[in-house]
Amino acid sequence: MASLVISFYVVFGLTIDIRNPVLLTASIILASLQLLFISTIYAMLVVRLRSNWVITDIMQFLMPALGGLIPSEASRYVMLVNEYSPIAYPFVIMREAALGYLELPIPITYQLFYSVTTVASLFIVTTMLIRIFDKRLREEGKLGLT
């Protein structure tokens, strides 16, 4: 993280003041794990269905809209989506940790709890899907996409 701050200073002449570096680091880890598990689920669906364009189109719409990538300040509808979407919390926490103010009317401890719960749930679903798809593809002899 220090290299990021230094690179912004060297390249742009900006001094970045991160309000809560520990929380920011935790949110980056949670977001990375969440994206890893979602992309693994996506890959399993693509392998099984063999028509990835439908899944890709759905994911391209859902991830930015439901994933907290749009700041809550954009509109009250975005705030509602960010507040009730479980996959949005790690990205909202990132902004809150970096900027130092609450974006949602939910305490940070609850946001962290929801994030950890979502990541753990995604891990369980990913593990189950990998086992199911691996077994099925081995039985059918279709481990390759050809």
Side-chain angles (χ1 to χ4, degrees):
M1 189 168 344
S3 63
L4 177 71
V5 173
I6 292 169
S7 66
F8 271 94
Y9 179 75
V10 170
V11 174
F12 301 111
L14 295 174
T15 303
I16 297 177
D17 181 28
I18 297 172
R19 301 294 180 178
N20 192 336
V22 173
L23 186 62
L24 180 64
T25 303
S27 67
I28 290 171
I29 291 168
L30 286 169
S32 298
L33 287 172
Q34 180 175 281
L35 291 174
L36 171 69
F37 298 141
I38 289 172
S39 63
T40 304
I41 293 169
Y42 166 78
M44 292 292 106
L45 292 173
V46 167
V47 167
R48 184 67 185 149
L49 298 178
R50 301 201 183 216
S51 61
N52 62 357
W53 64 271
V54 173
I55 299 167
T56 302
D57 287 347
I58 292 169
M59 293 294 284
Q60 285 177 342
F61 172 74
L62 288 181
M63 286 309 292
L66 298 178
L69 301 178
I70 303 170
S72 296
E73 293 86 17
S75 75
R76 65 185 177 109
Y77 301 112
V78 173
M79 179 182 269
L80 284 173
V81 169
N82 286 346
E83 189 173 347
Y84 292 105
S85 174
I87 62 174
Y89 287 117
F91 299 99
V92 171
I93 293 170
M94 258 188 242
R95 286 191 294 272
E96 291 175 345
L99 300 174
Y101 71 91
L102 284 177
E103 184 174 316
L104 298 177
I106 300 171
I108 290 287
T109 53
Y110 290 155
Q111 291 182 43
L112 280 171
F113 174 75
Y114 297 147
S115 295
V116 170
T117 304
T118 301
V119 168
S121 301
L122 284 169
F123 173 73
I124 292 167
V125 169
T126 301
T127 304
M128 290 183 344
L129 282 177
I130 286 175
R131 287 183 182 156
I132 291 168
F133 285 121
D134 183 60
K135 181 179 178 185
R136 187 173 295 158
L137 291 172
R138 286 182 190 277
E139 289 171 355
E140 296 172 359
K142 297 180 180 177
L143 278 176
L145 290 175
T146 58

